[in-house]
Amino acid sequence: MSKPAMVERDLLVFSIWAVLGFGGLALILEGFSRDSYFVSLAGTAAIVTGFVAHIVVNALFDTGFRPGEAALGISAFGALALAFIGGWAVGGLSPTDYWSGLTLFAVLAFGLPAYLSTRYGLRGAFSRFHVRHADDGKPVA
Amino acid sequence: MTGMAYSVWLPLFALFYVAVMLYWVRVATNEASAGDGFFSAGHALSPWISALFIAGASMSGWFVLGGSQQIAVQGFQMPALIVGGVLLALPGTLFFKRLWFVAERMRVSSQAEIFRVYYHSPFLVVVSVLVALLFALGFAGLQIRAIADFVELLTGGVVTRLTASVVLGFILFAGAGIGGMRAIGYFGVIQTVLAFTGIVVLSGFALIWSGGFAALNAGLLQLSATEGSAGLFTVDRVIRFTSGLGRGGELAEANTALANLSFAFALMGFQASPLVMKLVLSTRSPNGIAAGQTWVTAGFFGAIIAFCIALTGAAGLANRDLALTGLLGALQAGSPWFAAWIFIGIAAGVQLLAGLALFVAGEGLIRHIYRPYFHSRLSKERAVTLTRIAIAVLAVLAMLMENLTPVTLSALAALSLPLAFQLWTPLLGITWLPWITRSAAVTGVGFGIAGVILTEPFGYQVLSFFGLELPWGRWPWTIHSALWGMAANVAAVLIISAITNRDACGSEAKEIRKLFSGLLATSAKARTLRSTAWSVVLAWFFLAVGPGLIFGNWAFIAAGEDGPVWLLGMPSIWAWGLGAWVSGLGLIWFLSYKMEMASPVHVAIPPYEPPPRLKKDKAALEQERLRILVLTGAAGFALAVLIAFSFGG
């Protein structure tokens, strides 16, 4: 991909997350604050929409997630999971908060294989994780 | 949730904002290291980036800060605001395409340079730079002051206005000063998106807290029935012959149709300013102009103004607690994450404009005034360094004025749009009306500036300082200074063009005229539509922002048993404004595409080769110029002090 195209793609990605990422986060927090499952669900929907939009942009520019983006996404997921588990451990979560968090993580966890299978196909998605020892130079049996 | 947890969101979001900005500054500087691009992004900005940025900068934070506040305080007396998207888009539709081709042919990248090559006029170059300075110091400075006030409000006074404005100034310098035009363009896209989201979400909260659209309008209807409030929903009359605000005229009386029309002209100054021209001329192709002006600025952002900004203002009108300050305060208390997100959006809108204005002003001072007239041997690298220094100095100056001299700031801000509107005549001379001669354009702008200054507080306060009291105040006869200036401007242009030689122009001007009559000539089909276009434009102006607004007062009102009934469930004048926006969108589309004023053209424009000239050593002349400038400045200062000491005070 040419440099100008990469810049344009990055601008679109930043713009998407500036709206849907922060909007989703704000809605999830609002849902936790008001103890409203549906508001949290709207936040989860916003984040999922952000992912979908990101994937659409990737498809338009014929590319995938960049290593930095994947790292940031996994870190954010880990931080959110940690905060959720911490909240649950100290007993600061109401049942609605609990279900809101579980919904978010379930959707995100389901989203990863769904994304990989749409991008690489079911078998290809599996191959992303499965390390073939034949790659070290020995002939495949 | 604890107080700490509530107050953490604004700094957290601000930190993200700054981090993203620095990332794009880094991207821009990395790209620039491979080649030139500090001043005009290598003329390589994508059309869609420019279209989005132009729309965002045109709207800036002003519409949400000033526009919604105006509706909250003065109601719908100025419906020209509602069609702001169309008014902002109109000048770009007229000028951008042709100016882009002029710049491409002459290999220039700013409005001041276009004036120099076409008119050979240092005066117009200086005026262009002055307008950019007014935007940087006044227009943007005033908005940053408002943003700094909000920071103080949202942090409960923990972060003072002074601290906030210093931080905002540093952020501005980091964006514009280090990254240059490329960073401004790239980050501008994200700022625009943030700004639009912030405005939409804010209006959503205003609507929810007003109890929905029907409840909001029920509140407005109730308000209109109270004594003395009916005027908040009507345009009073066509004109009122007052001496102007501060000289017998009152703000509440300045709600006439001509006030609206002349205010509309002021709004039309923005896209004629050197700020937006800079963006257009940094774009790699003009083929996105029509779509950008029609669908992004007039359409999408026009809708945001007509619905969201008007809605936020209307909520504040119906319930004072829901005015912008109250709205943000309530959000901070209940949903600080939303308050932070919305605030960052509004701040991004303001910073978008402020960064561009600082950059164009800094560039103007160094590249268009200092370098050509005082130091022609200045290298490109040193010009970049000096421009960065100029931007830093301007940012500090703006910050000082925001905190120490708010009245001056306000007076300067009031000049920026009407003065930019005075640049219409030289721009028309270049693009559409070749009969406007150099002398006419220069004198016209001079008269226009005088007309604006004499009908704004800046002018009469300066004259008052020197002991001369004008018999009128701000906007006499409820006519905005933009129109007073333009009246003087057009009169001078018509008279002087009639008595001066139209063929006495430079070889570059002849080349540009040849370009427009040859390669870029309007098609026969578009020429046959000219009379239709004139009729449609005049009719739209009459009905949407002119005397026809009087019809809008009652167009959608019926007499009911218990008083007047709003037929569309909203104030008649608001509905009229929405109709004007929709028809205005059609007008912009018609001019852009059918009249081919901004439509895509696929032609290659080779660079102009000027006739070979001997290069003279200008060092001695430039030294002399500098000496004269210093001496004139010193003499002028001494004279001013003497006059003020003798007659003023």
Side-chain angles (χ1 to χ4, degrees):
Chain A
M1 189 167 43
S2 68
K3 208 166 184 178
M6 202 150 66
V7 166
E8 288 178 26
R9 179 251 179 212
D10 287 355
L11 277 175
L12 285 171
V13 168
F14 271 84
S15 303
I16 286 166
W17 286 111
V19 177
L20 294 168
F22 281 112
L25 177 68
L27 280 169
I28 287 172
L29 289 167
E30 189 73 17
F32 274 79
S33 166
R34 290 177 188 271
D35 219 21
S36 163
Y37 179 74
F38 289 104
V39 175
S40 292
L41 197 64
T44 306
I47 287 174
V48 170
T49 312
F51 269 114
V52 171
H54 194 150
I55 291 165
V56 169
V57 167
N58 282 348
L60 284 176
F61 286 85
D62 196 21
T63 184
F65 288 102
R66 290 167 65 168
E69 291 166 2
L72 186 67
I74 291 166
S75 308
F77 183 85
L80 280 174
L82 209 63
F84 180 71
I85 292 166
W88 172 73
V90 298
L93 294 181
S94 69
T96 312
D97 294 344
Y98 181 72
W99 284 110
S100 299
L102 276 188
T103 307
L104 174 69
F105 292 118
V107 166
L108 293 179
F110 176 74
L112 179 69
Y115 160 69
L116 288 175
S117 55
T118 53
R119 181 161 167 76
Y120 302 104
L122 273 177
R123 183 177 171 167
F126 178 71
S127 301
R128 304 297 293 178
F129 299 99
H130 174 60
V131 182
R132 298 174 68 186
H133 294 289
D135 291 348
D136 57 13
K138 292 175 191 166
V140 182
Chain B
M1 206 174 277
T2 64
M4 166 75 180
Y6 266 90
S7 57
V8 79
W9 296 101
L10 183 60
L12 199 67
F13 276 48
L15 205 65
F16 267 111
Y17 176 82
V18 174
V20 171
M21 187 202 72
L22 290 176
Y23 170 80
W24 284 104
V25 167
R26 183 174 157 269
V27 170
T29 43
N30 281 349
E31 279 190 44
S33 63
D36 182 40
F38 181 81
F39 288 118
S40 47
H43 301 276
L45 289 181
S46 278
W48 73 268
I49 291 180
S50 292
L52 206 57
F53 193 138
I54 288 168
S58 300
M59 205 168 78
S60 83
W62 182 85
F63 262 94
V64 66
L65 293 173
S68 63
Q69 284 291 80
Q70 180 156 354
I71 294 175
V73 176
Q74 294 175 36
F76 291 90
Q77 298 177 357
M78 296 291 276
L81 257 177
I82 297 168
V83 289
V86 175
L87 295 167
L88 287 167
L90 197 63
T93 306
L94 248 68
F95 298 133
F96 287 172
K97 178 178 156 187
R98 289 199 159 202
L99 288 175
W100 188 90
F101 279 106
V102 169
E104 182 73 357
R105 181 87 174 110
M106 296 294 150
R107 289 298 189 260
V108 294
S109 65
S110 62
Q111 188 190 58
E113 284 177 312
I114 289 180
F115 285 154
R116 191 166 61 234
V117 297
Y118 189 89
Y119 289 114
H120 293 284
S121 165
F123 174 74
L124 289 179
V125 171
V126 171
V127 170
S128 175
V129 174
L130 267 179
V131 169
L133 273 172
L134 283 173
F135 272 102
L137 296 178
F139 196 70
L142 202 64
Q143 293 179 34
I144 290 181
R145 185 182 151 88
I147 287 292
D149 279 337
F150 280 127
V151 173
E152 194 170 311
L153 171 84
L154 293 181
T155 58
V158 174
V159 180
T160 62
R161 187 175 63 212
L162 178 68
T163 316
S165 62
V166 170
V167 172
L168 289 168
F170 270 113
I171 294 172
L172 272 177
F173 173 74
I178 299 171
M181 193 60 214
R182 202 174 256 128
I184 292 174
Y186 291 164
F187 191 50
V189 171
I190 297 163
Q191 286 173 315
T192 301
V193 171
L194 279 171
F196 120 76
T197 314
I199 292 169
V200 171
V201 175
L202 183 70
S203 66
F205 273 103
L207 191 62
I208 291 167
W209 286 346
S210 298
F213 193 70
L216 169 66
N217 281 291
L220 292 177
L221 184 62
Q222 203 177 357
L223 178 68
S224 73
T226 58
E227 202 178 324
S229 297
L232 294 170
F233 300 92
T234 54
V235 172
D236 181 31
R237 58 182 77 185
V238 175
I239 190 168
R240 190 184 278 270
F241 293 101
T242 68
S243 299
L245 307 181
R247 293 281 193 278
E250 296 301 327
L251 194 64
E253 294 172 347
N255 57 343
T256 64
L258 266 180
N260 274 278
L261 182 66
S262 51
F263 175 68
F265 286 145
L267 284 181
M268 283 160 56
F270 186 75
Q271 288 202 349
S273 73
L275 276 60
V276 183
M277 292 298 166
K278 185 74 209 169
L279 263 174
V280 174
L281 305 185
S282 301
T283 311
R284 70 167 171 250
S285 157
N287 292 339
I289 292 173
Q293 293 301 103
T294 309
W295 306 118
V296 184
T297 304
F300 188 64
F301 282 82
I304 286 182
I305 293 170
F307 290 102
C308 300
I309 301 278
L311 227 152
T312 310
L317 180 66
N319 179 359
R320 293 275 170 238
D321 293 338
L322 293 182
L324 195 57
T325 315
L327 205 56
L328 277 175
L331 265 173
Q332 176 65 12
S335 310
W337 34 85
F338 273 114
W341 189 34
I342 291 167
F343 172 78
I344 290 292
I346 299 171
V350 171
Q351 289 234 323
L352 170 78
L353 175 75
L356 180 67
L358 277 177
F359 179 79
V360 176
E363 185 206 17
L365 285 173
I366 302 303
R367 267 187 86 206
H368 306 320
I369 293 184
Y370 180 65
R371 193 181 184 190
Y373 299 116
F374 300 104
H375 196 171
S376 56
R377 286 174 299 171
L378 188 72
S379 68
K380 197 172 261 183
E381 290 74 23
R382 290 203 63 197
V384 170
T385 309
L386 280 181
T387 303
R388 283 184 170 139
I389 293 170
I391 292 170
V393 170
L394 287 174
V396 171
L397 192 61
M399 187 265 292
L400 287 174
M401 287 178 72
E402 284 152 27
N403 290 287
L404 301 176
T405 59
V407 177
T408 313
L409 196 73
S410 171
L412 290 178
L415 289 176
S416 45
L417 281 175
L419 282 188
F421 183 56
Q422 304 313 311
L423 296 175
W424 264 66
T425 45
L427 291 174
L428 280 171
I430 297 169
T431 50
W432 296 101
L433 308 173
W435 50 263
I436 293 181
T437 63
R438 176 186 182 275
S439 330
V442 170
T443 317
V445 169
F447 272 68
I449 291 172
V452 168
I453 289 178
L454 291 178
T455 48
E456 281 288 347
F458 179 82
Y460 63 74
Q461 278 168 7
V462 167
L463 289 177
S464 171
F465 181 74
F466 288 119
L468 182 65
E469 293 295 335
L470 289 176
W472 61 80
R474 187 183 198 191
W475 307 350
W477 294 1
T478 64
I479 295 175
H480 194 288
S481 58
L483 186 51
W484 283 112
M486 189 47 79
N489 191 338
V490 169
V493 165
L494 289 177
I495 293 168
I496 295 171
S497 287
I499 58 173
T500 48
N501 182 3
R502 291 174 190 179
D503 296 324
C505 56
S507 57
E508 290 91 349
K510 282 180 183 149
E511 189 60 37
I512 290 164
R513 289 178 189 179
K514 208 162 75 183
L515 181 72
F516 291 145
S517 59
L519 209 53
L520 296 173
T522 315
S523 72
K525 195 179 164 194
R527 277 202 300 275
T528 57
L529 289 171
R530 265 184 193 168
S531 51
T532 313
W534 273 109
S535 312
V536 170
V537 168
L538 291 175
W540 187 83
F541 266 88
F542 180 82
L543 292 169
V545 289
L549 281 173
I550 303 293
F551 303 131
N553 285 341
W554 319 109
F556 305 109
I557 291 182
E561 285 175 12
D562 303 325
V565 177
W566 288 348
L567 295 173
L568 299 178
M570 65 201 301
S572 175
I573 198 77
W574 189 3
W576 185 267
L578 290 177
W581 165 66
V582 174
S583 54
L585 181 59
L587 173 75
I588 297 291
W589 171 81
F590 177 70
L591 294 178
S592 294
Y593 291 97
K594 293 291 162 192
M595 292 305 294
E596 300 172 7
M597 286 180 159
S599 57
V601 180
H602 299 279
V603 289
I605 303 288
Y608 170 67
E609 296 290 343
R613 288 174 189 141
L614 277 178
K615 278 195 175 175
K616 293 177 192 167
D617 183 12
K618 296 184 193 164
L621 180 69
E622 285 164 356
Q623 284 295 321
E624 181 64 14
R625 263 191 207 139
L626 198 59
R627 204 170 62 86
I628 291 171
L629 182 73
V630 172
L631 283 176
T632 313
F637 179 74
L639 203 63
V641 170
L642 195 68
I643 294 172
F645 186 68
S646 308
F647 304 106

